[in-house]
Amino acid sequence: SSVPSSAFRTDCFSFARLTTPSATVKSSQAIHPTVTPRPATTIMPNAQAEAIKAEGNAFFKAGKYAEAIEKYNAATAIDDSVPAYWSNMAACHEKLGNYEKMAEAGRSCIKADKNFVKGYFRLATAQKGMNDLDGCIKTLESGLAIQSSNPDLKKMKKDIAELQRGEQVASYCRKADEQMQGGDIAGAYKTLGLASRLDAGNPDIERMMSKVKPRYEKMEAQRKAGLSGAEAHKEKGDEKYKNANFEGAVEEYTKCLNDLKKEGKELSELALKAHSNRAACYKQISNFDGTIEDCTAVLEIDPDNVKALIRRAQAFEGMERYRFALQDVKQVLSMPYHKVGKQNFELCNMMQHRLQRTVNQLKAMN
Protein backbone atom coordinates (compact mmCIF):
# COMPACT_ATOMS: atom_id res chain seq x y z
CA SER A 1 0.00 0.00 0.00
CA SER A 2 1.10 3.61 -0.55
CA VAL A 3 2.51 5.82 2.22
CA PRO A 4 0.13 8.65 3.15
CA SER A 5 1.36 12.06 2.11
CA SER A 6 0.97 13.35 5.66
CA ALA A 7 3.31 10.65 6.90
CA PHE A 8 5.85 11.57 4.22
CA ARG A 9 5.71 15.21 5.24
CA THR A 10 6.30 14.23 8.86
CA ASP A 11 9.33 12.12 7.90
CA CYS A 12 10.72 14.95 5.79
CA PHE A 13 10.28 17.32 8.68
CA SER A 14 12.06 14.93 11.02
CA PHE A 15 14.93 14.55 8.54
CA ALA A 16 15.17 18.32 8.18
CA ARG A 17 15.44 18.72 11.91
CA LEU A 18 18.28 16.18 12.04
CA THR A 19 20.25 17.99 9.33
CA THR A 20 20.15 21.48 10.85
CA PRO A 21 23.51 22.75 12.20
CA SER A 22 22.40 22.55 15.82
CA ALA A 23 21.24 19.00 15.30
CA THR A 24 24.62 18.13 13.82
CA VAL A 25 26.35 19.32 17.03
CA LYS A 26 23.98 17.30 19.12
CA SER A 27 24.67 14.28 16.99
CA SER A 28 28.39 14.77 17.44
CA GLN A 29 27.89 14.99 21.17
CA ALA A 30 25.95 11.78 21.09
CA ILE A 31 28.84 10.03 19.33
CA HIS A 32 31.43 11.47 21.74
CA PRO A 33 29.47 12.12 24.92
CA THR A 34 31.02 13.87 27.91
CA VAL A 35 31.54 11.17 30.50
CA THR A 36 30.80 12.27 34.03
CA PRO A 37 32.96 10.25 36.42
CA ARG A 38 31.03 8.16 38.86
CA PRO A 39 31.48 9.01 42.49
CA ALA A 40 33.75 6.60 44.38
CA THR A 41 31.85 3.76 45.90
CA THR A 42 31.65 4.21 49.64
CA ILE A 43 31.76 0.98 51.55
CA MET A 44 29.26 1.25 54.33
CA PRO A 45 30.42 -0.13 57.67
CA ASN A 46 28.75 -3.23 58.95
CA ALA A 47 25.78 -2.07 61.02
CA GLN A 48 26.11 -4.86 63.55
CA ALA A 49 29.85 -4.23 64.03
CA GLU A 50 29.21 -0.50 64.43
CA ALA A 51 26.56 -1.15 67.06
CA ILE A 52 28.99 -3.36 69.02
CA LYS A 53 31.70 -0.71 68.68
CA ALA A 54 29.29 1.86 70.16
CA GLU A 55 28.77 -0.43 73.14
CA GLY A 56 32.55 -0.66 73.50
CA ASN A 57 32.82 3.13 73.42
CA ALA A 58 30.28 3.37 76.22
CA PHE A 59 32.29 0.93 78.34
CA PHE A 60 35.48 2.90 77.59
CA LYS A 61 33.91 6.15 78.77
CA ALA A 62 32.77 4.39 81.93
CA GLY A 63 36.31 3.17 82.59
CA LYS A 64 35.38 -0.47 82.00
CA TYR A 65 38.28 -1.23 79.70
CA ALA A 66 38.18 -5.04 79.83
CA GLU A 67 34.50 -5.00 78.83
CA ALA A 68 35.27 -2.49 76.08
CA ILE A 69 38.02 -4.78 74.74
CA GLU A 70 35.52 -7.65 74.48
CA LYS A 71 33.20 -5.49 72.41
CA TYR A 72 35.96 -4.26 70.09
CA ASN A 73 37.13 -7.84 69.65
CA ALA A 74 33.59 -8.81 68.71
CA ALA A 75 33.47 -5.98 66.19
CA THR A 76 36.74 -7.09 64.57
CA ALA A 77 35.41 -10.63 64.37
CA ILE A 78 32.67 -9.29 62.11
CA ASP A 79 34.89 -6.91 60.12
CA ASP A 80 38.63 -6.75 60.81
CA SER A 81 39.27 -4.17 58.06
CA VAL A 82 38.06 -1.21 60.14
CA PRO A 83 41.15 0.37 61.78
CA ALA A 84 39.11 2.25 64.40
CA TYR A 85 38.12 -1.01 66.11
CA TRP A 86 41.78 -1.96 66.55
CA SER A 87 42.78 1.57 67.55
CA ASN A 88 40.13 1.75 70.26
CA MET A 89 41.16 -1.69 71.50
CA ALA A 90 44.78 -0.53 71.71
CA ALA A 91 43.68 2.50 73.76
CA CYS A 92 41.98 0.15 76.25
CA HIS A 93 45.12 -1.98 76.61
CA GLU A 94 47.11 1.19 77.24
CA LYS A 95 44.75 2.11 80.09
CA LEU A 96 45.31 -1.37 81.57
CA GLY A 97 49.08 -1.09 81.13
CA ASN A 98 49.19 -4.13 78.85
CA TYR A 99 51.65 -2.83 76.27
CA GLU A 100 52.25 -6.16 74.54
CA LYS A 101 48.54 -6.50 73.74
CA MET A 102 48.48 -2.83 72.81
CA ALA A 103 51.30 -3.41 70.33
CA GLU A 104 49.40 -6.34 68.78
CA ALA A 105 46.31 -4.18 68.36
CA GLY A 106 48.42 -1.36 66.93
CA ARG A 107 49.95 -3.66 64.32
CA SER A 108 46.51 -4.98 63.39
CA CYS A 109 45.32 -1.38 63.05
CA ILE A 110 48.13 -0.60 60.59
CA LYS A 111 47.45 -3.85 58.73
CA ALA A 112 43.78 -2.88 58.38
CA ASP A 113 44.71 0.51 56.89
CA LYS A 114 48.34 1.55 56.46
CA ASN A 115 47.23 5.17 55.93
CA PHE A 116 45.43 5.34 59.28
CA VAL A 117 48.08 7.39 61.12
CA LYS A 118 46.68 6.79 64.60
CA GLY A 119 47.67 3.14 64.22
CA TYR A 120 51.35 4.14 64.14
CA PHE A 121 50.83 6.34 67.18
CA ARG A 122 49.22 3.44 69.09
CA LEU A 123 52.01 1.02 68.20
CA ALA A 124 54.73 3.57 69.01
CA THR A 125 53.11 4.27 72.39
CA ALA A 126 53.15 0.56 73.17
CA GLN A 127 56.80 0.24 72.13
CA LYS A 128 57.70 3.18 74.34
CA GLY A 129 55.87 1.48 77.22
CA MET A 130 57.95 -1.68 76.62
CA ASN A 131 61.13 0.46 76.44
CA ASP A 132 61.69 -0.57 72.82
CA LEU A 133 62.88 2.91 71.89
CA ASP A 134 64.59 1.91 68.64
CA GLY A 135 61.42 0.15 67.46
CA CYS A 136 59.38 3.14 68.58
CA ILE A 137 61.46 5.52 66.45
CA LYS A 138 61.09 3.27 63.40
CA THR A 139 57.31 3.14 63.84
CA LEU A 140 57.10 6.91 64.20
CA GLU A 141 59.18 7.39 61.05
CA SER A 142 56.85 5.05 59.17
CA GLY A 143 53.87 7.09 60.33
CA LEU A 144 55.55 10.37 59.42
CA ALA A 145 56.21 8.97 55.95
CA ILE A 146 52.41 8.80 55.61
CA GLN A 147 51.72 12.19 57.19
CA SER A 148 54.87 14.23 57.74
CA SER A 149 53.13 17.09 59.55
CA ASN A 150 51.32 15.00 62.18
CA PRO A 151 51.96 16.85 65.47
CA ASP A 152 51.48 13.81 67.75
CA LEU A 153 54.02 11.71 65.86
CA LYS A 154 56.50 14.58 65.62
CA LYS A 155 56.26 15.37 69.34
CA MET A 156 56.66 11.73 70.36
CA LYS A 157 59.68 11.30 68.09
CA LYS A 158 61.31 14.37 69.65
CA ASP A 159 60.54 13.10 73.16
CA ILE A 160 61.93 9.63 72.40
CA ALA A 161 65.10 11.08 70.86
CA GLU A 162 65.61 13.13 74.03
CA LEU A 163 64.99 10.05 76.16
CA GLN A 164 67.53 8.06 74.14
CA ARG A 165 70.07 10.83 74.51
CA GLY A 166 69.57 10.88 78.27
CA GLU A 167 69.96 7.11 78.49
CA GLN A 168 73.14 7.22 76.41
CA VAL A 169 74.62 9.91 78.64
CA ALA A 170 73.76 7.89 81.75
CA SER A 171 75.35 4.81 80.17
CA TYR A 172 78.54 6.75 79.40
CA CYS A 173 78.68 8.01 83.00
CA ARG A 174 78.31 4.48 84.40
CA LYS A 175 81.03 3.21 82.07
CA ALA A 176 83.37 6.08 82.98
CA ASP A 177 82.82 5.38 86.68
CA GLU A 178 83.71 1.72 86.16
CA GLN A 179 86.82 2.73 84.21
CA MET A 180 87.88 5.09 86.99
CA GLN A 181 87.43 2.36 89.59
CA GLY A 182 89.50 0.01 87.43
CA GLY A 183 92.30 2.55 87.00
CA ASP A 184 91.66 3.13 83.28
CA ILE A 185 91.96 6.91 83.48
CA ALA A 186 92.53 7.38 79.74
CA GLY A 187 89.45 5.32 78.96
CA ALA A 188 87.35 7.25 81.49
CA TYR A 189 88.52 10.57 80.04
CA LYS A 190 87.56 9.48 76.52
CA THR A 191 84.15 8.17 77.64
CA LEU A 192 83.35 11.40 79.49
CA GLY A 193 84.32 13.31 76.37
CA LEU A 194 81.70 11.36 74.41
CA ALA A 195 79.12 12.09 77.12
CA SER A 196 79.93 15.82 76.99
CA ARG A 197 79.24 15.93 73.26
CA LEU A 198 75.72 14.71 73.94
CA ASP A 199 75.00 16.83 77.01
CA ALA A 200 77.42 19.73 77.45
CA GLY A 201 77.20 21.31 80.89
CA ASN A 202 75.74 18.20 82.56
CA PRO A 203 76.69 18.56 86.27
CA ASP A 204 77.35 14.82 86.72
CA ILE A 205 79.72 14.77 83.75
CA GLU A 206 81.52 17.92 84.92
CA ARG A 207 81.87 16.51 88.44
CA MET A 208 83.41 13.29 87.14
CA MET A 209 85.59 15.15 84.65
CA SER A 210 87.00 17.36 87.43
CA LYS A 211 88.40 14.19 89.02
CA VAL A 212 89.55 12.47 85.85
CA LYS A 213 91.06 15.31 83.83
CA PRO A 214 93.95 16.27 86.19
CA ARG A 215 95.03 12.63 86.49
CA TYR A 216 94.74 12.13 82.74
CA GLU A 217 96.78 15.24 81.92
CA LYS A 218 99.50 14.16 84.38
CA MET A 219 99.64 10.71 82.80
CA GLU A 220 99.74 12.20 79.30
CA ALA A 221 102.60 14.51 80.22
CA GLN A 222 104.57 11.54 81.55
CA ARG A 223 103.76 9.45 78.49
CA LYS A 224 104.77 12.17 76.02
CA ALA A 225 108.00 12.76 77.90
CA GLY A 226 108.93 9.18 77.15
CA LEU A 227 108.18 9.38 73.40
CA SER A 228 110.92 9.25 70.82
CA GLY A 229 111.28 12.14 68.41
CA ALA A 230 109.53 10.20 65.63
CA GLU A 231 106.65 9.21 67.90
CA ALA A 232 106.23 12.81 69.07
CA HIS A 233 106.07 14.09 65.49
CA LYS A 234 103.51 11.42 64.59
CA GLU A 235 101.25 12.44 67.49
CA LYS A 236 101.54 16.12 66.58
CA GLY A 237 100.55 15.17 63.04
CA ASP A 238 97.51 13.31 64.34
CA GLU A 239 96.39 16.37 66.33
CA LYS A 240 96.78 18.67 63.34
CA TYR A 241 94.88 16.23 61.13
CA LYS A 242 91.98 16.19 63.61
CA ASN A 243 91.91 19.99 63.43
CA ALA A 244 91.87 19.86 59.59
CA ASN A 245 95.35 21.41 59.40
CA PHE A 246 96.42 19.00 56.67
CA GLU A 247 99.51 20.91 55.49
CA GLY A 248 100.76 21.13 59.09
CA ALA A 249 100.07 17.43 59.59
CA VAL A 250 102.08 16.58 56.45
CA GLU A 251 105.08 18.44 57.91
CA GLU A 252 104.90 16.45 61.16
CA TYR A 253 104.50 13.07 59.43
CA THR A 254 107.42 13.94 57.15
CA LYS A 255 109.61 14.72 60.18
CA CYS A 256 108.52 11.42 61.73
CA LEU A 257 109.50 9.48 58.58
CA ASN A 258 112.82 11.31 58.30
CA ASP A 259 113.70 10.41 61.89
CA LEU A 260 112.75 6.76 61.28
CA LYS A 261 114.89 6.68 58.15
CA LYS A 262 117.90 7.90 60.15
CA GLU A 263 117.26 5.11 62.67
CA GLY A 264 116.89 2.50 59.91
CA LYS A 265 113.27 1.88 60.78
CA GLU A 266 111.68 2.63 57.41
CA LEU A 267 109.67 -0.61 57.52
CA SER A 268 108.45 -0.29 61.13
CA GLU A 269 104.82 -0.21 62.22
CA LEU A 270 105.22 3.47 63.06
CA ALA A 271 106.49 4.19 59.53
CA LEU A 272 103.49 2.40 58.05
CA LYS A 273 101.12 4.55 60.12
CA ALA A 274 102.95 7.75 59.21
CA HIS A 275 102.83 6.94 55.48
CA SER A 276 99.14 6.01 55.74
CA ASN A 277 98.23 9.18 57.62
CA ARG A 278 100.26 11.41 55.32
CA ALA A 279 98.51 9.79 52.33
CA ALA A 280 95.18 10.73 53.92
CA CYS A 281 96.39 14.34 54.24
CA TYR A 282 97.59 14.45 50.63
CA LYS A 283 94.21 13.10 49.50
CA GLN A 284 92.43 15.89 51.40
CA ILE A 285 94.46 18.57 49.58
CA SER A 286 94.25 16.75 46.21
CA ASN A 287 97.97 16.00 46.04
CA PHE A 288 97.42 12.78 44.10
CA ASP A 289 101.11 12.14 43.40
CA GLY A 290 101.86 12.26 47.12
CA THR A 291 98.86 10.04 47.89
CA ILE A 292 99.99 7.40 45.41
CA GLU A 293 103.60 7.49 46.65
CA ASP A 294 102.65 7.06 50.32
CA CYS A 295 100.01 4.41 49.63
CA THR A 296 102.55 2.46 47.59
CA ALA A 297 104.99 2.65 50.50
CA VAL A 298 102.29 1.21 52.80
CA LEU A 299 101.47 -1.57 50.32
CA GLU A 300 105.13 -2.58 50.10
CA ILE A 301 104.94 -3.36 53.82
CA ASP A 302 101.30 -4.55 53.89
CA PRO A 303 100.14 -5.62 50.38
CA ASP A 304 96.50 -6.12 51.44
CA ASN A 305 96.03 -2.84 53.28
CA VAL A 306 92.46 -1.91 52.32
CA LYS A 307 92.70 1.80 53.14
CA ALA A 308 95.88 2.20 51.10
CA LEU A 309 94.41 0.39 48.08
CA ILE A 310 91.24 2.50 48.12
CA ARG A 311 93.09 5.79 48.59
CA ARG A 312 95.51 4.94 45.81
CA ALA A 313 92.63 3.96 43.51
CA GLN A 314 90.91 7.29 44.21
CA ALA A 315 94.16 9.14 43.49
CA PHE A 316 94.70 7.21 40.26
CA GLU A 317 91.16 8.09 39.20
CA GLY A 318 91.80 11.74 40.04
CA MET A 319 94.80 11.63 37.68
CA GLU A 320 92.72 9.84 35.00
CA ARG A 321 94.83 6.70 35.30
CA TYR A 322 91.69 4.59 35.21
CA ARG A 323 93.20 1.16 34.53
CA PHE A 324 95.48 1.40 37.57
CA ALA A 325 92.55 2.57 39.70
CA LEU A 326 90.43 -0.34 38.47
CA GLN A 327 93.18 -2.79 39.31
CA ASP A 328 93.36 -1.61 42.95
CA VAL A 329 89.58 -1.66 43.32
CA LYS A 330 89.36 -5.20 41.97
CA GLN A 331 92.02 -6.31 44.44
CA VAL A 332 89.92 -4.99 47.32
CA LEU A 333 86.78 -6.69 46.00
CA SER A 334 88.63 -10.01 45.75
CA MET A 335 89.32 -9.97 49.50
CA PRO A 336 87.05 -11.58 52.14
CA TYR A 337 84.00 -9.41 52.82
CA HIS A 338 84.59 -9.30 56.60
CA LYS A 339 88.09 -7.91 56.03
CA VAL A 340 86.91 -5.21 53.61
CA GLY A 341 83.78 -4.15 55.51
CA LYS A 342 80.36 -3.17 54.19
CA GLN A 343 81.11 0.52 53.57
CA ASN A 344 84.40 -0.12 51.75
CA PHE A 345 82.87 -2.95 49.72
CA GLU A 346 79.97 -0.78 48.54
CA LEU A 347 82.37 2.09 47.72
CA CYS A 348 84.66 -0.18 45.68
CA ASN A 349 81.75 -1.85 43.94
CA MET A 350 80.45 1.55 42.84
CA MET A 351 83.95 2.62 41.75
CA GLN A 352 84.43 -0.58 39.78
CA HIS A 353 81.29 0.00 37.70
CA ARG A 354 82.25 3.62 37.05
CA LEU A 355 85.88 2.84 36.19
CA GLN A 356 85.02 -0.15 34.01
CA ARG A 357 82.56 1.97 32.04
CA THR A 358 85.22 4.66 31.54
CA VAL A 359 87.85 2.12 30.47
CA ASN A 360 85.42 0.57 27.97
CA GLN A 361 84.59 3.99 26.52
CA LEU A 362 88.30 4.78 26.10
CA LYS A 363 88.84 1.44 24.36
CA ALA A 364 85.98 2.18 21.96
CA MET A 365 87.45 5.60 21.15
CA ASN A 366 90.80 4.06 20.32
Side-chain angles (χ1 to χ4, degrees):
S1 59
S2 60
V3 179
S5 58
S6 60
F8 180 78
R9 283 194 300 273
T10 303
D11 287 349
C12 287
F13 175 73
S14 300
F15 180 76
R17 282 193 302 173
L18 286 173
T19 55
T20 58
S22 59
T24 303
V25 174
K26 291 180 180 178
S27 176
S28 175
Q29 291 174 340
I31 295 170
H32 302 288
T34 302
V35 179
T36 303
R38 292 183 179 181
T41 304
T42 303
I43 300 174
M44 297 299 293
N46 183 285
Q48 184 183 358
E50 285 293 298
I52 296 173
K53 172 197 166 189
E55 293 176 14
N57 291 349
F59 279 127
F60 183 89
K61 289 177 182 177
K64 298 180 178 180
Y65 305 118
E67 291 87 341
I69 289 170
E70 288 183 11
K71 293 297 181 181
Y72 296 133
N73 261 322
T76 61
I78 297 171
D79 186 355
D80 62 0
S81 68
V82 180
Y85 303 161
W86 298 107
S87 177
N88 291 4
M89 190 190 304
C92 292
H93 286 303
E94 181 184 6
K95 292 292 186 180
L96 296 173
N98 192 341
Y99 294 112
E100 289 184 5
K101 290 289 186 182
M102 183 185 184
E104 289 178 14
R107 290 190 180 93
S108 296
C109 183
I110 295 169
K111 184 179 178 182
D113 184 354
K114 67 178 183 180
N115 293 317
F116 189 77
V117 177
K118 191 175 284 187
Y120 298 95
F121 182 79
R122 298 293 192 204
L123 176 56
T125 301
Q127 290 167 321
K128 179 184 177 184
M130 294 186 290
N131 203 35
D132 178 12
L133 301 186
D134 290 337
C136 180
I137 288 289
K138 289 179 181 177
T139 299
L140 291 168
E141 287 174 348
S142 297
L144 288 167
I146 303 296
Q147 190 182 99
S148 60
S149 61
N150 186 277
D152 294 329
L153 297 181
K154 288 172 71 175
K155 182 179 183 302
M156 182 181 282
K157 186 180 178 184
K158 182 180 178 181
D159 291 344
I160 295 299
E162 182 64 22
L163 190 61
Q164 285 182 311
R165 187 177 68 86
E167 287 191 355
Q168 184 63 68
V169 169
S171 175
Y172 279 141
C173 288
R174 288 193 298 271
K175 183 180 178 181
D177 187 55
E178 291 172 4
Q179 290 169 320
M180 288 171 62
Q181 298 298 327
D184 183 7
I185 303 302
Y189 183 80
K190 182 179 179 181
T191 301
L192 289 172
L194 294 172
S196 294
R197 292 179 193 175
L198 290 175
D199 193 4
N202 182 298
D204 292 331
I205 298 172
E206 291 184 345
R207 174 181 54 78
M208 295 176 73
M209 186 63 89
S210 67
K211 296 179 182 179
V212 172
K213 189 174 181 180
R215 295 171 64 183
Y216 172 76
E217 289 178 343
K218 183 179 179 180
M219 289 175 60
E220 273 295 283
Q222 292 173 347
R223 185 186 67 80
K224 288 181 179 179
L227 293 175
S228 67
E231 289 170 333
H233 285 308
K234 193 264 181 185
E235 288 208 356
K236 289 177 183 177
D238 293 346
E239 285 299 318
K240 290 183 177 181
Y241 182 88
K242 288 177 184 176
N243 294 322
N245 181 3
F246 304 118
E247 289 85 354
V250 165
E251 290 179 9
E252 295 296 338
Y253 293 134
T254 301
K255 290 177 183 177
C256 170
L257 289 165
N258 289 339
D259 285 352
L260 291 172
K261 188 175 182 179
K262 291 175 186 176
E263 298 170 14
K265 297 179 180 178
E266 299 98 325
L267 303 180
S268 65
E269 183 69 20
L270 182 59
L272 186 148
K273 290 179 180 178
H275 277 300
S276 180
N277 292 2
R278 189 170 69 174
C281 293
Y282 281 141
K283 179 174 172 286
Q284 289 288 344
I285 58 178
S286 299
N287 182 340
F288 298 130
D289 284 323
T291 305
I292 292 168
E293 184 179 345
D294 272 331
C295 287
T296 301
V298 171
L299 293 167
E300 286 174 357
I301 303 171
D302 181 8
D304 290 333
N305 189 293
V306 175
K307 283 185 178 179
L309 285 166
I310 293 174
R311 284 178 184 148
R312 190 170 74 172
Q314 291 170 327
F316 276 137
E317 185 177 16
M319 298 181 70
E320 299 183 4
R321 297 168 69 182
Y322 303 115
R323 289 180 176 82
F324 290 103
L326 185 59
Q327 184 177 332
D328 281 347
V329 165
K330 285 183 175 180
Q331 184 175 337
V332 174
L333 292 173
S334 69
M335 296 179 189
Y337 184 83
H338 69 274
K339 178 179 173 64
V340 176
K342 181 176 183 290
Q343 186 174 355
N344 286 332
F345 183 86
E346 289 177 351
L347 172 63
C348 287
N349 195 40
M350 181 177 65
M351 286 182 69
Q352 178 181 229
H353 288 300
R354 182 174 67 243
L355 290 165
Q356 189 66 65
R357 185 168 59 248
T358 303
V359 168
N360 291 341
Q361 288 172 348
L362 291 172
K363 283 182 180 178
M365 290 171 64
N366 294 332

